Amino acid sequence: MAARLTTYVVVAIVAATLIAGLIVGAQLDDSDGPVDLIVFNAKVYTADGSGKMADAVAIRGNQILRVGSDREIQRLRRPQTVVVDARGGAVLPGFNDADVHFTDGALTLDGVDLLGADSVDEAQARISAWAEANPLRPWVVGRGWSGRMSATGPPTRQRLDAAVPDRPAYMLSADGRTAWVNTRALRLAGVTRRTPNPEAGVIEKDQRTGEPIGLLSAAAADLAGRLVPKPTHEQRARALHTAIAAAHENGVTSVQDAAVGPDAFALYEEARQAGELNLRVYSSIGVSDKTTTADFNTLEALSSKYPDDPLFKVGGARIVIDGPVDSFEAALLEPYSARPGTGAGETSIGPDELNRLVRMLDGRGWQVTLDAFGDRAVRMALNAYEHAERSNPTPARGRRHRIGHLALLHPDDLPRLAQLGVIALLRPYEATPSPGRVDAWTRAVGDERTARAWPAAGLAAAHTRLAFATGWPDAPQNPLAAIHAAVNRSGDAGAEDPWNGGESLPLKRAIDAFTSAPAYASFDEQRKGSLKRGMLADLVVLSTDIFAAPPSRLSSATVAATIFDGKIVYRRTGTSTN
């Protein structure tokens, strides 16, 4: 008996020694090794699902070492440690913009930026200034104008002629669907009063004279667009670097680039190989009903060429089903309220063909994103995912398919996203009452359906995982403004009445939708999207404590610093570091 007792005691002592050694080892691992960067005096939101807050973050190499109180983190400080004083501001995981056209947006930074222009006069001033500063450019090209400018008169070729009289000019709208061109561009394109509308496009003409007024919609935009000089590889590479720097200014450390192609993939890979890709990129490629088996084999080759990597990978396929509601491009379950004879809208692909494509992609392990605005398009998307689930075995990594936009849903379909594990990919700015947007919806679909627009809170209540995007270059790449929109259902100014205010989200839920949820949506939740030990050290430091400020003041916060891969890649003038 005594021998047995002695054995138990020895075993207990050995076990206690091992446990103590592990604890001490862990402590030594934290305190004895190098600590490269500390952010302190902060309101740290970890976005790890706990909802907890902390004061400081310690970083070793490119990973988070510890999150905790100022006292425990400051104890890790060493002479070589870079220290960032957040001055009481919020610290969040780096923003992950879940739906952008990043390489396309990069090229717009080398042209005229018309985002936010409130009038044609303001647009003219921006265009004239750019043209004067770039006299050797053969074309003056820009993007970002919207219908809100029409309040002071429509954009016409004559008004663009006044800004650019000596060269062709080509200005894409923010959504990329309409081109505003001057007279020289029309002449080069051979567009006259006798030119018929191309299939799926419209040449806007003066009702009295029949002359083109300078607006080319949908497919007609390519009549002039195909003449715009294509950027060289060197220009594209420079534009990518400029866009990455601009992303850092907005606290963005990851993007999910929508429907790009091999040229863009090669650009990303070149930057990665050169050690210059200071942004994490998950790319998808566009698919349509014209995609052949050979095309699918090409997709497989691309996926193999750019496999899972913390910096760059390819793995998504995207199919567009319909377009915006207010431009009568959405596919609806019931006819539009306005324009008798318009019907209920069209889809770019039939239900059977969509089912076939989604089933094939799902069977090959591809993540699918379906762009669907109208309630009929959303139902088609859900049916296609349900069909794939019935037809194929569950992929090894699971299914994380997505639906983008989700402007209008039938109430019966709200719970289906969570049931199918589908991620709702939303752009909060689309749900803001910018000038004329609510009125345009009301004219198109009536009061009842307008009151159901962009149901973010309804989707959240149905346990749908929400991932947010700015939609750049259709809108500014400003996640803070998008979070403001999601929480307040209004624009930055906050002067408008909220659009369906009951669909607003709590602040932390909106932050999760720009951090942890997009990481999950790209199969990256084990390495980024939250602030905890071992995660990649991507952080954004804000100028204020957004958790203490009134929700209406969210838009006043700015990015004070951005940390990517453990290094400070952006610091606003005046931010304290040492």
Side-chain angles (χ1 to χ4, degrees):
M1 180 71 178
R4 183 179 299 174
L5 180 61
T6 300
T7 301
Y8 288 156
V9 170
V10 171
V11 170
I13 292 172
V14 170
T17 302
L18 287 172
I19 293 170
L22 290 172
I23 293 172
V24 171
Q27 291 174 339
L28 288 172
D29 182 56
D30 279 2
S31 59
D32 285 7
V35 177
D36 298 302
L37 193 150
I38 284 174
V39 181
F40 78 105
N41 187 20
K43 301 297 182 185
V44 180
Y45 177 60
T46 57
D48 62 356
S50 68
K52 294 180 180 178
M53 305 292 289
D55 302 323
V57 181
I59 295 170
R60 176 177 292 161
N62 72 337
Q63 294 184 335
I64 294 172
L65 179 66
R66 188 185 291 185
V67 179
S69 67
D70 276 333
R71 183 178 178 182
E72 63 181 317
I73 298 301
Q74 287 281 28
R75 284 205 303 259
L76 304 175
R77 183 173 178 175
R78 297 292 180 268
Q80 78 278 10
T81 304
V82 175
V83 178
V84 177
D85 182 354
R87 299 181 179 180
V91 171
L92 316 173
F95 293 129
N96 187 335
D97 203 343
D99 184 20
V100 294
H101 292 268
F102 197 75
T103 50
D104 288 346
L107 293 173
T108 69
L109 298 176
D110 194 34
V112 187
D113 180 10
L114 296 177
L115 281 172
D118 289 323
S119 66
V120 176
D121 290 342
E122 182 180 348
Q124 282 178 309
R126 296 189 194 184
I127 295 165
S128 295
W130 191 93
E132 185 176 341
N134 296 272
L136 300 181
R137 295 290 186 92
W139 282 66
V140 176
V141 177
R143 180 167 177 162
W145 64 272
S146 68
R148 66 194 298 177
M149 297 193 319
S150 298
T152 58
T156 62
R157 61 183 173 89
Q158 291 88 351
R159 301 190 77 171
L160 192 50
D161 289 344
V164 188
D166 59 333
R167 287 169 280 173
Y170 182 87
M171 305 291 142
L172 266 181
S173 58
D175 61 9
R177 295 172 180 270
T178 304
W180 173 27
V181 297
N182 67 355
T183 301
R184 282 180 174 254
L186 287 171
R187 287 175 179 167
L188 283 173
V191 176
T192 69
R193 60 183 301 179
R194 296 182 178 84
T195 306
N197 289 329
E199 183 178 356
V202 176
I203 302 168
E204 300 285 351
K205 295 180 180 179
D206 186 285
Q207 292 183 354
R208 184 175 57 85
T209 66
E211 293 291 338
I213 66 171
L215 293 178
L216 307 174
S217 300
D222 194 48
L223 296 174
R226 64 191 176 197
L227 303 176
V228 176
K230 299 295 184 289
T232 65
H233 180 79
E234 291 73 19
Q235 288 172 326
R236 293 181 52 153
R238 285 198 304 270
L240 177 61
H241 291 305
T242 301
I244 291 172
H248 291 160
E249 290 185 28
N250 286 300
V252 175
T253 56
S254 294
V255 297
Q256 299 182 33
D257 202 351
V260 294
D263 289 346
F265 299 158
L267 202 65
Y268 284 131
E269 178 64 11
E270 181 181 288
R272 188 180 74 84
Q273 293 288 350
E276 298 172 348
L277 186 59
N278 294 323
L279 193 72
R280 307 193 193 282
V281 181
Y282 177 52
S283 279
S284 60
I285 194 163
V287 173
S288 73
D289 56 355
K290 297 180 176 59
T291 303
T292 65
T293 301
D295 294 330
F296 278 113
N297 292 335
T298 301
L299 292 179
E300 296 291 342
L302 285 170
S303 182
S304 300
K305 186 175 182 179
Y306 306 113
D308 186 34
D309 182 90
L311 280 177
F312 175 57
K313 62 179 181 177
V314 176
R318 193 180 199 98
I319 302 171
V320 176
I321 299 178
D322 67 345
V325 171
D326 47 354
S327 60
F328 298 87
E329 297 174 72
L332 307 178
L333 290 169
E334 300 293 336
Y336 283 93
S337 302
R339 294 187 184 179
T342 301
E346 301 294 333
T347 59
S348 64
I349 186 172
D352 291 343
E353 187 62 18
L354 181 66
N355 287 352
R356 183 191 72 81
L357 280 174
V358 171
R359 182 183 70 245
M360 186 179 298
L361 288 163
D362 177 82
R364 295 187 178 214
W366 280 73
Q367 182 186 44
V368 182
T369 299
L370 299 176
D371 277 352
F373 287 82
D375 48 12
R376 178 158 54 92
V378 172
R379 183 165 293 180
M380 277 179 58
L382 291 168
N383 290 344
Y385 289 142
E386 197 168 54
H387 174 72
E389 188 176 276
R390 289 195 307 267
S391 304
N392 299 324
T394 303
R397 65 175 185 175
R399 289 185 174 91
R400 298 184 187 181
H401 299 316
R402 312 193 270 194
I403 300 179
H405 299 288
L406 293 154
L408 187 65
L409 284 78
H410 191 280
D412 292 348
D413 289 325
L414 272 173
R416 294 182 65 196
L417 281 89
Q419 291 165 3
L420 291 167
V422 173
I423 299 161
L425 187 56
L426 306 179
R427 299 179 180 185
Y429 91 92
E430 293 180 325
T432 59
S434 61
R437 183 175 289 164
V438 179
D439 290 341
W441 262 72
T442 303
R443 286 192 300 271
V445 297
D447 291 331
E448 190 274 331
R449 283 182 288 185
T450 299
R452 292 194 281 113
W454 314 107
L459 287 165
H463 307 292
T464 305
R465 197 180 295 265
L466 307 181
F468 280 174
T470 64
W472 187 66
D474 294 1
Q477 191 178 39
N478 184 346
L480 283 172
I483 289 171
H484 173 100
V487 172
N488 295 285
R489 298 287 286 201
S490 65
D492 287 352
E496 319 96 334
D497 291 330
W499 187 358
N500 298 345
E503 295 294 342
S504 62
L505 293 174
L507 176 58
K508 288 182 179 179
R509 184 64 187 264
I511 293 171
D512 290 346
F514 257 119
T515 54
S516 56
Y520 175 88
S522 62
F523 299 90
D524 287 312
E525 74 276 13
Q526 297 303 317
R527 59 188 175 204
K528 68 180 181 181
S530 58
L531 302 180
K532 56 186 179 182
R533 185 183 180 94
M535 301 296 275
L536 290 167
D538 299 344
L539 296 79
V540 57
V541 181
L542 303 184
S543 60
T544 59
D545 178 7
I546 59 175
F547 301 100
S552 60
R553 297 288 304 278
L554 274 171
S555 61
S556 64
T558 58
V559 173
T562 301
I563 297 165
F564 173 78
D565 216 37
K567 302 177 183 63
I568 300 172
V569 291
Y570 169 74
R571 185 169 57 237
R572 183 169 50 84
T573 303
T575 303
S576 175
T577 60
N578 64 295

